[in-house]
Amino acid sequence: MEKGKGLARRWAVELHDASSSSSSFPDPPGFTRSAPEADDAATARQRKDSEVAWKGQKAWEVAQAPFKNLMMMGFMMWMAGSTVHLFSIGIVFSALFQPFNALRSVGKVFEPFKDPRVDTLAPKLLFIALNLAAMGLGVWKLNTLGLLPTNASDWVSSLSPAREVEYSGGGIPLI
Amino acid sequence: MIWETNIQTSTASKSLLHVLSSNKVAKDNLVLVSTGRSIYAVSSIDGVISWRKDFTLDDLEIKQVIQSPENDIVSVVGVAGSSKLALYQLNAKSGEIVKDAQESLPGGLCGETVLGSHDVLIALDQTRSAIFVIEFKGLSLSYNKVRVSNFVQDLSGTVKLLPLMSNGIIALQSSCTVYLLKLKGMDGLEVIHSFDRPAAVSDALAITEKDEAFAVVQHVGSQIEFIVKVTSDLSNEVIREKVDIDQHRGSVQKVFLNNYVRTDKSHGFRALIVMEDHSILLVQQGAVVWSREDGLASIVDVMASELPVEKEGVSVANVEHNLFEWLKGHMLKLKGTLMLASADELAAIQSLRLRSSEKNKMTRDHNGFRKLLIILTKAGKVMALHTGDGRIIWSNFLPFLRASKSGEISSALRIYQWQVPHHRVMRENPSILVVGRSGGDSVSPGVLSILDSYSGEELNSQRFDHSVAQIIPLILKDSSEQRLHLIVDSNSLAHLYPRSPDALKSFIHERSNLYFYSVDIQENAIRGYSLQKSCDLNLEDEYCFSTKELWSIVFPSDAERIAISETRKLNEVVHTQAKISADQDVMYKYVSKNLVFVATVSPKAAGEIGSAAPEEASLVAYLIDAVTGRILHRVTHHGAQGPVHAVVSENWVVYHYFNLRAHRFEIAVIEIYDQSRADNKDVMKLILGKHNLSAPITSYSRPDVTVKSQSYFFTHSVKAMAVTQTAKGITSKQLLIGTIGDQVLALDKRFLDPRRSLNPTQQEKEEGIIPLTDSLPIIPQSYVTHSLQVEALRGIVAIPAKLESTTLVFTYGVDLFYTRLAPSRTYDSLTDEFSYALLLITIAALVAALVVTWVWSEKKELRDKWR
């Protein structure tokens, strides 16, 4: 099937069933069908332990992934310079949106590692912290570009003149 | 122009021009110019003054220059004082006095003289009831005094000499009759003809060697009668024609006769008639051949008015007057496209296109470019011009300003917006207010008239029982959206208009906050007044308010004389009160409607440039708060003198004067900033709204202003100055400078920024600050008028369009000029060249491509599924 998918669709009929062969043919000498079952509990625990370890390890890896991203973003920002143009705006917005999206899907990212015995809280916290740091970097960049209303001037620039109480008209009398 | 010569005259007196005729053609003839007691001979070839003679007799005023036919002797007759007659004979080539004689005449002279024949002078005596016949043969002056009543029966009142005839015929005008008199030697005159109530009499026009023709125009009902007579035969009339004339042109003021030779060698006459509204008509063969609104050359005031809103559901036939016209137009256009049209028809098509083109429509447009310019002329005619092509939409010669109707000299003063309908009274048409004065002097009673600004119809007119010294439009409006106006009379009483209880109520409510000030140039003082409850004199008149002087600034007359007073335009819109520099620092503008700029010059330097030494000349500029009379700023320019032109806008003043030390004109700028609000810099407070920036300002709080100023050299002398106005005040400003060359120069306000410095920092450069130079650049491309000249430019008016980036500029003088300016380019609209078609085609093509590719992909997917 795997092969046929790429080429063309083909009908295939499997006439021999694997399960039926086991019953009709005797087991080879030295092979005891019950051996794996006997070992079951020990191997299962072992496998589970390794899986938990693996999950934990993976979770930490996923949690640290934004760090690389962060470094790259920093480099990109440094390259973009501090003047407002298309490139720098694009970088700043991607720097703001990537962590934002990542933060929104924190649960989904750590879904595969969900396990009552795996502690995903610490990696989650690290993930969130790193993403927040990335977002902070974006905001900082936004500020260096002068796009954040942090100055008094940003708040008064469109303030219309205050109303005057008194009015005095006149001038040179008409001759 | 070949040459132009300026002759400096010391006193204001009537000047005469006399061209010496010489038999030798193409020789250098002299033009004699006499003014006051001097006579100049100017070469007609190159304009060089070849000689000049000043007569020593005191108070001499030259009345006549007579050339003797035989030799190069010019006789100059002048009147000195009230009774002395002087005769000088000069050599025309050198200007030397050959002979002179003087004679005192009993009874005095009123100054009017006329030449009876080449050696007889007729002069009117002081009482205007007797005539001197003065003969000067050689150097002997002999005279005879004749009483007018001796030869004119039932004469009433005084008479006037008309500079009319020769051939020994003199025209005399009494109050209602014109008499033609014949000179009979020295001892008498004889009435040979008289006209009853003529409107105008023309000068005599020589048609043959000894015959002269003249024209008389009389009003007959709604028509005018045009009569031409010949002096040799006064009993006959050459022409008597009746001509229909528009009633709204008023009465005939003057008539000028012109003749032509018909094919049968007889003389035909045409006349140029000047009407009361200063329009001129050419009359020939009983019809008006053409007419011209020359009143437009003497504009008193201008304002802009909106056009009507386009109404939906107006049928084509209605717009094009009638269906036939409409069909005819389309036939013409069809002919044009099929190339069958003649030249006349092509012109008709062109004019049709122009009339129906977008910019000439009679409705309001989205951008507010189409407007009506409402113009008040000196004659008292109100006209509305369309900004699209300058055509006259309507005109109204206001009856109350017609001298022929009211019997007195009246003058048109100002024009204001009276009513701009909004919400409640949307259905009504906007109206305008015209204020005039019925009488020559400042104490004569005023008149007002309210006109519909769409049609020009007079809605209401009113004669005041008080004079008009100042008209103050207020910001207040009554319930029918009529703007309140205060008219201050010469007794400093304020009268409120419109006279409605509603207006009175809203005025009383605001009265304590209303003030007015008066700049008295004679007394060299500025005075501020408050309005009291009611009139002292007239208690019944509740629309009259007495005033109380609150403050006065009296300038020392020996050192300063008021040259100019200027304020912000009342309708100017300021977008923001903050000015932000590149380093994010905030300065708060001192924006006040009550800011008055006054400039004084030292009286010694009040004359022409060059009449005073730099040490004795100085110019002082004041910024005054008109409510409290507080001088906010004062700066002295030593060695500077007028004429001063100034413009005030937002928080700055720009003024133009002459620097005597540098021998150049200068433009200075003052910007005023409010220091009392400068500490509003805490971002958190601003975010939370805890600031006092939008609190109402009172002039009675202690002002704390800082001032920045700078001055620059400027090449031109200036005739008028204005600043661009936009709808919201966001767009940067340009100064509009009417130069001496009758052109308008648009100068960016950025060049007049006191923060300019020699080496601006990088930040300042980013902000757009131009490095400081000593003189303002004149970029030829920034002439708004391009290569055109607005002859005798007098005023520039900037009107905001609805589109923020654009301002409409109207310039007037003898010529009128109108254009549209965008000081910061048209950033809020696409240019005319923008191809909307291309945009639409691109969008359509994209949509089509989208559909096609979608269909393709669907098909391909289906095909793939079936494979």
Side-chain angles (χ1 to χ4, degrees), chain B residues 82 466 695:
Chain B
S82 62
H466 55 83

mmCIF file of all heavy atoms in Angstrom, chain B residues 82 466 695:
data_model
loop_
_atom_site.group_PDB
_atom_site.id
_atom_site.type_symbol
_atom_site.label_atom_id
_atom_site.label_comp_id
_atom_site.label_asym_id
_atom_site.label_seq_id
_atom_site.Cartn_x
_atom_site.Cartn_y
_atom_site.Cartn_z
ATOM 1 N N SER B 82 -6.442 132.145 -3.559
ATOM 2 C CA SER B 82 -7.816 132.073 -4.012
ATOM 3 C C SER B 82 -8.128 133.111 -5.074
ATOM 4 O O SER B 82 -9.164 133.056 -5.715
ATOM 5 C CB SER B 82 -8.759 132.254 -2.827
ATOM 6 O OG SER B 82 -8.541 133.535 -2.278
ATOM 7 N N HIS B 466 -27.974 104.776 13.263
ATOM 8 C CA HIS B 466 -26.663 105.059 13.851
ATOM 9 C C HIS B 466 -25.597 104.852 12.784
ATOM 10 O O HIS B 466 -25.864 104.283 11.729
ATOM 11 C CB HIS B 466 -26.396 104.139 15.044
ATOM 12 C CG HIS B 466 -26.515 102.681 14.718
ATOM 13 N ND1 HIS B 466 -25.489 101.964 14.153
ATOM 14 C CD2 HIS B 466 -27.551 101.820 14.845
ATOM 15 C CE1 HIS B 466 -25.888 100.718 13.968
ATOM 16 N NE2 HIS B 466 -27.121 100.606 14.365
ATOM 17 N N ALA B 695 -8.943 72.446 29.415
ATOM 18 C CA ALA B 695 -9.762 73.351 30.230
ATOM 19 C C ALA B 695 -9.857 74.705 29.533
ATOM 20 O O ALA B 695 -8.900 75.139 28.900
ATOM 21 C CB ALA B 695 -9.122 73.514 31.605
#
